[in-house]
Amino acid sequence: MNKDFLCLTDWSKADLDQLFALTGDLKARQKRGEPHRLLEGKTLAMIFEKNSTRTRVSFEVGMHQLGGHALFLHSGTTQMGRGEPVRDTGRVMARYCDGIMIRTYSQQAVEELATWSDAPVINGLTDLYHPCQLMADIFTVIEHKGGYQGLTFAWIGDGNNMANSWINAAAVLGFRLWVATPKGYRPDSDVVARAEKLGADLSFTDDPLEAADGADVLSTDVWASMGQEEEAEKRRQAFAGFQLDRRVLDAAAKDAIVLHCLPAHRGEEISDEVIESPQSVVFDEAENRLHAQKAIMATLMG
């Protein structure tokens, strides 16, 4: 397996399926109250340049449940915040810790950190990718649908890091993906080109109803991500009609499920009615961040 967890396309379908199986095992053992201290005595450094709720809590709790320890490091209070080269941070942290999780802006910085660190590096989020969230999302689909093969997925909203990660997942795992975005807000063209080269079954549209038609899984995210706050009003106008609401849900398969990585701006990208509907598995999805990341950490650091 890969030393690091930076991007889904770095991993094979077989290896990701193994992570899903371990996620299920760790979740079941946690629910039974059985200890699973696979990382006894090990330490994870968590470097944050972006604010977080779920990422910090799920990694910190996950390390505790695995018997290890997590260190929270905000970049503004470290030497990285004063301009220390990423390569130096990576080499030093690898001598102190057994793994590094980083949540930052630049995918290039994460990849540089992994190049220079002898310890495994986990991408907790960048502006380009959010692979840990996708592992939780797909595992949630497996729980509720029995698997992901043969399903049609629809992404509705911004062509952001989540959209890019769904495209990567489609390329590796082989499911069909529709992506509906307003014109001018499509996913990264290099990400799309690489996925299509890998044989991904992708379709793109600017009509949310076309993307949702018969879909088994609907997913969305906020219209303005961190760092885009000044564009919020412009984006609200551009994304008018792209709300995942009852109209869109009714276009999907009758037993479709709804995903959202949270936090949600209810009444913007998703309606309150849909996120609270019986077809919403959003909070199962949020819980599964914990278990999916435990599987990633146990695999890389165990």
Side-chain angles (χ1 to χ4, degrees), residues 133-134 137 141 152-158 162-163 166 177-180 211-212 215-222 242 244 248 257-262 269-270 282 285:
Q133 180 67 57
L134 256 290
D137 291 1
V141 172
T152 297
F153 293 70
W155 172 262
I156 296 169
D158 189 23
M162 282 296 298
W166 273 108
L177 175 66
W178 276 86
V179 178
D216 303 289
V217 181
L218 301 173
S219 190
T220 190
D221 189 13
V222 295
F242 278 79
L244 206 175
V248 174
I257 59 174
V258 173
L259 300 173
H260 190 305
C261 61
L262 300 179
E269 77 277 359
I270 191 167
V282 166
E285 174 190 5

Side-chain angles (χ1 to χ4, degrees), residues 44-48 55 59 99-103 120-124:
L44 175 74
M46 306 189 304
I47 301 172
F48 286 84
T55 297
F59 270 106
I100 303 169
M101 187 282 296
I102 182 167
R103 180 180 170 94
V121 173
I122 300 170
N123 179 1

